Amino acid sequence: MAFHRLDLGHGLGLRTKHFAQFESGPSPVDWVEVVTENFMAEGGRPIAVLESVRRDTPVVLHGVSLSIGSTDPLSERYLDDLARLVARIQPAMVTDHLCWGTWQGRYVHDLLPLPYTEEALVHVAARVAAVQERLGRQVLLENPSTYLAYRGSTMSEWEFLAELAARADCGILLDVNNVYVSAHNLGFDPLEYLDGIPPDRVGQLHLAGHSDKGKYLLDTHDAPVSEPVWELYRETLRRLGRVPTLIEWDDRIPPLPELVAESRRAASIEAEELTPALRRAAP
Amino acid sequence: MTLAETQAWLYQAITSGERPTPEDLELCLADGPALSAREGVAVYASMYLARLIDALREAFPNLARFLGEETFAALAEDYLGRHPSEHHDIGRAGRLLPAFLRKHPDPERPDLADLAELEWTRQQVFFAAAAPQLGTEAFARLDPEELARSRLLLSPALQILRLDHAVAPLWRHLEHGEPPDSPLVVSSPLAIWRRGAEVFHCPLPLDEVAALERAASGGSLAQICEAFAEREDPSAAAHGAIASWMAEGWVTGLERSPAPTDLASPD
């Protein structure tokens, strides 16, 4: 059982607002990520743009509706659409979230956290294996941002994620902002989280902005990455080394150059943190 | 609680609009340093509705403009209470909203269901499969008899709607921020289609609708042309209509039918 981390560099979410710029010139970043469900339709501009972009730029499919932790059966309709899109786009990675979002066929369209128990672990590991079997490839699961804690949880989220990756032989998409948001809301140490994540299973990092709601932090993806999250990104790189990193920005989306600047900031932090110590020490 | 029981309870707590009891909260969730268990559930409940209302507003922008933010949100909440999303694409959550508006019409604006139907169809057309446009040279390759037996294949990105109200002007006024007209009851068929990445709609005469419906159900070119029989010059009307279909990209193929003699048994 093994997971191979790709060396993709630094990417951005490809959003409707920037379609024209991606169509009219070379990609300003190393790779792009799209929200899988927004590109499952047979036709229309989104899929046409994505097919054009993917000719020169690696694409990652990032789903929000797999509902891998639900006790509903896996949706055959969803898996059919996903398999069709994967065959059409040939993405560099297929990712979704460690969460559940359906109940009796009804979609909440949210990333609800799981209770971290042995029962849930067995359940989710079997479903990840089934999805990977269906797609013929590994998937990566992302830690969600969380606003509640289950009384019945018997392990931490990082212990659950590490054990799931080992049992299901899948990858981890580590969202650094989500670690920060959940740590604030639930009161755990984000560094302890990072220490518990197996480096050889992490295939991608996410960075995003959040909103301070006073009593809690909300993962809104509508602002620049905050300074504490940049600091946590440094800590992450020290533990994991070079990992493909994406800037997520989904609401109140700024002009493309502003997003590219965020991505370049991530690249320069990576260069600072991973440059060999001797060269950094030179006068 | 088992995983299934936990999910059943939390789903209801988030989507029902009812406050969970303290006993249930105590059984399932723990208070956190930032949020109590009740506040945590409330965060998810508020995001559930807000996200779906946003998706409906995106699918029905002119209906939302007409109703205003508050009334549209109330309509959306009522609708979602009876028709929760059952598709992985949140963009399809409004699939049953036109039918919902027909079942629960606004007595003063019975045309809103038709407006919703038009907006929903425009969205379906936007995401329909692409198909190559047929050039007129395909017609020149067939002799007149073969041509009369042939069938037209229509674009998946073309839909015909038969509505009871003239909602195209209402849609246009709302799109341009102009005050809407009063509802006008009139049989109003519309063609809705995509060219490139843009969606268009226009009213159609009833005989042209009949011709398109014959084409869609596999009628021959001769049968399609017969739909224009009541016109002063049926042949010119049929020719003009089919030429415009071709120019708009509505026709994507020409399927040849074998001559009656070709169907004879070899023995």
Side-chain angles (χ1 to χ4, degrees), chain A residues 68 74 123-133 139 141 164 168-170:
Chain A
I68 197 73
L74 282 165
H123 177 70
V124 178
R127 285 161 69 95
V128 173
V131 171
Q132 293 184 146
E133 174 80 24
V139 298
L141 291 179
L164 175 65
D169 192 21
C170 67

Side-chain angles (χ1 to χ4, degrees), chain A residues 69 71 77 107 109 151 215, chain B residues 7 26 30 39 51 85-86:
Chain A
T71 49
R77 181 169 60 175
Y107 284 80
H109 298 292
R151 196 168 287 285
K215 287 185 82 170
Chain B
Q7 293 184 353
E26 173 71 19
E39 288 167 333
R51 192 173 284 125
S85 173
E86 291 181 341

Side-chain angles (χ1 to χ4, degrees), chain B residues 23-37:
Chain B
E23 295 75 22
D24 284 346
L25 281 167
E26 173 71 19
L27 190 66
C28 190
L29 302 176
D31 289 338
L35 294 163
S36 67

